[in-house]
Amino acid sequence: MGLRIVNGLLLVIFLTGIVTTAMAEDSAKDLQFPYRGKKILWVDSYNSDYEWSSGIEKGLRDALHGSGVELRVFHMDTKRHLEEDFHRQAGQRARKIIEEFRPDVVIASDDNAQRHLVVPYLKDTDLPVIFCGVNEDLDNYGYPCSNVTGMIEDEMAEGLVMHLRRLAKGAHAGIMGADVHTMRVVADQYNKQFFDGQLRYYLVRSFAEFKEAFLRAQQEVDMLLFRNNSGITGWDAAAAEAFVAEHTTVPTGSVLPWMKPYNLLTIAKIPEEQGQYAGTTALRIFAGARPADLPVVRNRLAHMVVNLKMAKAADLVLPVSLLQTAEVIGKEVYKEAVAPLPEGR
Amino acid sequence: MKLRYKFNLLALGVLLPVGIAISIAGVFTIERLAYRMNRKLMEAEVVKVLEDIRSAHKVLTESGVAAVDSYVRRAQADILDKYRDFRFGRTGRIQIVAEPSSRQLLPQLAKQQNPDIIYDEIVAQGAQGFWEHAHGKKEQFHYHAGFPAWNWVVLMSVDVEEMLAERNAFLNQVTWILLLGLVVGLLIFAWFARTIVAPVQQLSEAALAISQGDWKKNLPQSNAVDEVGDLTRAFSQMSEHLSAAHGDLAKQAKALQNTNTRLHLEITEHQQTQQEIFHLNQELEQRVLQRTAQLKVANQELEAFAYSVSHDLRAPLRSIDGFSQALLDDYGEQLDEEGQEFLQRVRGASQRMAQLIDDLLYLSRITRGEMIRQPVDLSSLADLVSKELQKNNPQRQVEMVVQPEVKADGDPRLLRVVLENLLSNAWKFTGRRKQGRIEFGMERNRSTTEDAPPVELVYYVRDNGAGFDPAYSEKLFGVFQRLHRIDEFPGTGIGLATVQRIIHRHGGQVWADGEVEKGATFFFTL
């Protein structure tokens, strides 16, 4: 009889210990993951292997690290599929995922996501939306509104143009890129904003057109904005790099980080900044902030890269101040050709 | 030298050396600080230039173009541009020299212009360091340091004149301040001399005049509310009091002179009187000597007479006593009882007379004998006498109380006689007491009678015997005087007379105190 009572007591103590331990673990997890159970859906306008999207995702995941938030990603892939119907269908797929996943916050990056998801389905609802990477005027989307806030994507074009003008021997400028809508929009903005309509356009569709246009541009302008190769069909990166290294004679530049092999100067916005902002803002909303209370902001960080290959090709000597603030690539170009310095310089 | 001049010299002696010492110390300190400060600043500026150069070189190195001539030239040009307009103060400037050709890069030289950098001096000073160099009429202070990677030497120069401008300004200011301070100091000392030294000087002059007897000298006056003012007023008051006292003293001296004259006359008269008294004394002494000699002779004759009488009277008395005894022995049976009694009376009278004669002789011997003073233990003597009395009368119950350690200075033989008489008297007069008590001792400052002089040591013999009527106390010490009947207490009445003679010979006093049946106390001094 006594043995049974003792066994019963031991069992009660054992079970109590298990329950207490489980509660303590839950409590520790709550402290470790304060937004456990919250869900975010990131709707990306582009594809997963697009560098810009990768950068946003990296910043987003860094911001959400340790928060316990469940992140789900949907790539609309509108960069590789330029058809309008595809874009609309991608928006509808994203809406369906929202209905199934029932996220607490939606992050929509770049313009297509705004155009085909947020504006038709999410704007002025109870679901908080954070946008980023938006280039177009916010008025076109009716932003900001009660449930939408975000970060405008401001290209670092002003700084790039300033540096190119310092290095260039004349004032004539040109812009090069794929002959696509986005590129035309951007080119128009540059032309209007920096060059008073004097900017020459070199918009091409194929790699062959590119080479021809590039050679022509070297003859016609004093500086060239080779903004983006995306959308140029038949693009051969190695061949392109070798081609521009051989034929560059004027300072060239871009605001897109993946364009640094082809340009003398690259001042790129940082996609991680966009993702970092989106993640941090989502956590603020989880903490109680309303989207309407969070003002729309602009990106501020930039990464400068100078390509010594292009500098040497253009016979340009870059100042120390520029080398000091930039990432220098293409150093190998001087390794073969350098001779010992004469004494008493 | 007057005190005020001493004070002026003191002011100059204090202010000038102190001011000059402070100035010199200040000049040296500022000069040292100027050099130290400029060393730090110049070194900092050169280091700043070198940091820019190093930074540029590092950027070029990291960019892989540190060995690319065009990049290096561009970087160097940027550095030279940056410091082309550099100014350090009015004359300070940065100079950059390229080794080993000693080509001056900064400031840039026009064609055919000679470099203004003394490259030999730079080489002589080593890799870096501070040095001074005369450049024409200008002294310049330099600091240089090199950047070997570019073979550059950065030199910072500043004119010594500018560097020490603060020192010179300080020297000028100190000179003016010193002069101003000197003037102010002298004014303060002048005020000090006027308010303190001048009154002291006036006091000094007044004191000098007073010391020379000039009481009419005007005394200094002061209204100053300070110690000197207090001193001046106190001195004036003191001088006035001294003047008044001096007048009184003169009057008193005059009166004293008159008194002295009168006293001189009186002394003269007194001396004459003394002379007369001296003569009279001499005459008196002569007379006393004559009288004493006459008295001595008379006394010797009287004593010889008394001795002869006493001695001569003893023979018939012995005959009377002897024959009366023979009558009683040989013819006693023939006499009736009355006749025997008569003969017994004759014998008694003759024996008593013989005793009287013995006592008289004894008294006479005591009076005439030589007295030898020496310390005497009276307590021992009293004990001795007491024991003899008790030995002779063992049946008596008498308590003898002798105070120990009673000492005296006198003739031991005579003092024993005194104690024998007084103690035996006490023994005798306590004979009717069942328990007699006799005390011997000494008191201090005891005065029992009005006639007795206050003395320091008084010896006494006290008993509880028959006492006496104090009305007859004067008669106690007379020869053959008795206050009791002989059948009550036997005696010749010569004892106390003997005591008195002995005490008088010692220069002391003896007196008695007592009442009938209440005992008696005999006091004596020596």
Side-chain angles (χ1 to χ4, degrees), chain B residues 132-238:
Chain B
E132 278 191 42
H133 177 70
H135 195 78
K137 290 183 179 179
K138 286 183 181 176
E139 282 283 338
Q140 286 192 317
F141 190 60
H142 305 280
Y143 174 70
H144 78 274
F147 185 66
W150 285 2
N151 292 325
W152 273 19
V153 173
V154 179
L155 177 74
M156 177 91 194
S157 304
V158 65
D159 285 358
V160 174
E161 183 185 352
E162 185 191 1
M163 201 167 69
L164 298 180
E166 287 299 322
R167 181 201 66 177
N168 297 334
F170 172 79
L171 196 59
N172 287 334
Q173 289 170 1
V174 161
T175 304
W176 284 109
I177 291 169
L178 192 63
L179 287 173
L180 187 65
L182 198 63
V183 170
V184 172
L186 286 174
L187 288 173
I188 291 171
F189 267 90
W191 172 82
F192 181 75
R194 189 172 65 80
T195 56
I196 295 177
V197 177
V200 171
Q201 202 168 356
Q202 290 174 3
L203 281 176
S204 170
E205 291 171 356
L208 192 64
I210 289 170
S211 70
Q212 293 170 351
D214 182 8
W215 293 95
K216 295 178 181 176
K217 172 83 177 175
N218 286 335
L219 294 174
Q221 299 296 326
S222 175
N223 295 323
V225 188
D226 56 13
E227 287 80 357
V228 175
D230 294 342
L231 178 66
T232 306
R233 286 188 287 277
F235 181 81
S236 296
Q237 289 177 1
M238 186 186 71

Side-chain angles (χ1 to χ4, degrees), chain A residues 155-164 253-257 265-269 301-305 322:
Chain A
E155 293 196 345
M156 302 298 169
E158 188 174 359
L160 177 67
V161 171
M162 180 190 74
H163 279 292
L164 289 177
S254 173
V255 293
L256 300 175
L265 186 63
T266 307
I267 301 177
K269 55 188 182 287
L301 302 180
H303 180 64
M304 183 187 291
V305 180
L322 194 58

Side-chain angles (χ1 to χ4, degrees), chain A residues 21-40:
Chain A
T21 306
M23 288 173 69
E25 283 177 357
D26 287 347
S27 178
K29 281 181 180 174
D30 287 344
L31 287 174
Q32 194 176 358
F33 306 111
Y35 299 113
R36 195 178 177 203
K38 296 287 185 184
K39 294 189 280 188
I40 294 176

Side-chain angles (χ1 to χ4, degrees), chain B residues 34-305:
Chain B
Y35 269 96
R36 186 182 296 173
M37 188 176 69
N38 276 276
R39 277 170 184 264
K40 288 186 181 299
L41 291 174
M42 290 167 73
E43 188 176 9
E45 293 295 345
V46 171
V47 166
K48 184 181 163 191
V49 176
L50 288 173
E51 280 301 315
D52 281 349
I53 294 171
R54 280 195 196 94
S55 176
H57 181 70
K58 183 182 175 189
V59 170
L60 294 181
T61 304
E62 289 174 352
S63 302
V65 292
V68 180
D69 190 59
S70 58
Y71 275 88
V72 175
R73 285 184 187 283
R74 174 68 188 267
Q76 290 178 341
D78 289 345
I79 294 287
L80 294 174
D81 282 343
K82 182 176 180 181
Y83 291 101
R84 195 175 305 284
D85 298 324
F86 175 85
R87 289 291 178 271
F88 179 75
R90 185 167 50 81
T91 60
R93 57 180 179 166
I94 289 282
Q95 295 163 294
I96 297 176
V97 185
E99 295 179 292
S101 60
S102 308
R103 188 159 56 85
Q104 180 173 318
L105 303 176
L106 191 74
Q108 279 185 319
L109 300 176
K111 286 182 180 177
Q112 307 301 324
Q113 187 180 0
N114 291 324
D116 53 1
I117 296 175
I118 313 302
Y119 189 73
D120 293 341
E121 288 287 342
I122 296 175
V123 173
Q125 296 297 329
Q128 64 180 45
F130 294 94
W131 45 284
E132 278 191 42
H133 177 70
H135 195 78
K137 290 183 179 179
K138 286 183 181 176
E139 282 283 338
Q140 286 192 317
F141 190 60
H142 305 280
Y143 174 70
H144 78 274
F147 185 66
W150 285 2
N151 292 325
W152 273 19
V153 173
V154 179
L155 177 74
M156 177 91 194
S157 304
V158 65
D159 285 358
V160 174
E161 183 185 352
E162 185 191 1
M163 201 167 69
L164 298 180
E166 287 299 322
R167 181 201 66 177
N168 297 334
F170 172 79
L171 196 59
N172 287 334
Q173 289 170 1
V174 161
T175 304
W176 284 109
I177 291 169
L178 192 63
L179 287 173
L180 187 65
L182 198 63
V183 170
V184 172
L186 286 174
L187 288 173
I188 291 171
F189 267 90
W191 172 82
F192 181 75
R194 189 172 65 80
T195 56
I196 295 177
V197 177
V200 171
Q201 202 168 356
Q202 290 174 3
L203 281 176
S204 170
E205 291 171 356
L208 192 64
I210 289 170
S211 70
Q212 293 170 351
D214 182 8
W215 293 95
K216 295 178 181 176
K217 172 83 177 175
N218 286 335
L219 294 174
Q221 299 296 326
S222 175
N223 295 323
V225 188
D226 56 13
E227 287 80 357
V228 175
D230 294 342
L231 178 66
T232 306
R233 286 188 287 277
F235 181 81
S236 296
Q237 289 177 1
M238 186 186 71
S239 300
E240 288 170 5
H241 292 159
L242 273 177
S243 179
H246 185 263
D248 292 345
L249 199 63
K251 289 177 185 172
Q252 287 177 2
K254 199 168 184 178
L256 193 61
Q257 196 173 7
N258 294 335
T259 306
N260 277 342
T261 306
R262 197 166 57 248
L263 199 59
H264 182 68
L265 293 173
E266 287 177 358
I267 287 170
T268 306
E269 289 175 3
H270 183 67
Q271 283 176 343
Q272 288 175 353
T273 307
Q274 273 189 330
Q275 195 69 25
E276 289 173 2
I277 289 170
F278 180 71
H279 290 307
L280 288 172
N281 278 342
Q282 278 187 329
E283 189 179 348
L284 191 60
E285 284 177 4
Q286 192 65 34
R287 287 183 184 175
V288 167
L289 286 174
Q290 289 175 359
R291 289 285 186 271
T292 303
Q294 289 171 356
L295 280 172
K296 198 172 182 181
V297 171
N299 198 28
Q300 285 175 348
E301 288 176 352
L302 187 61
E303 285 182 357
F305 170 72

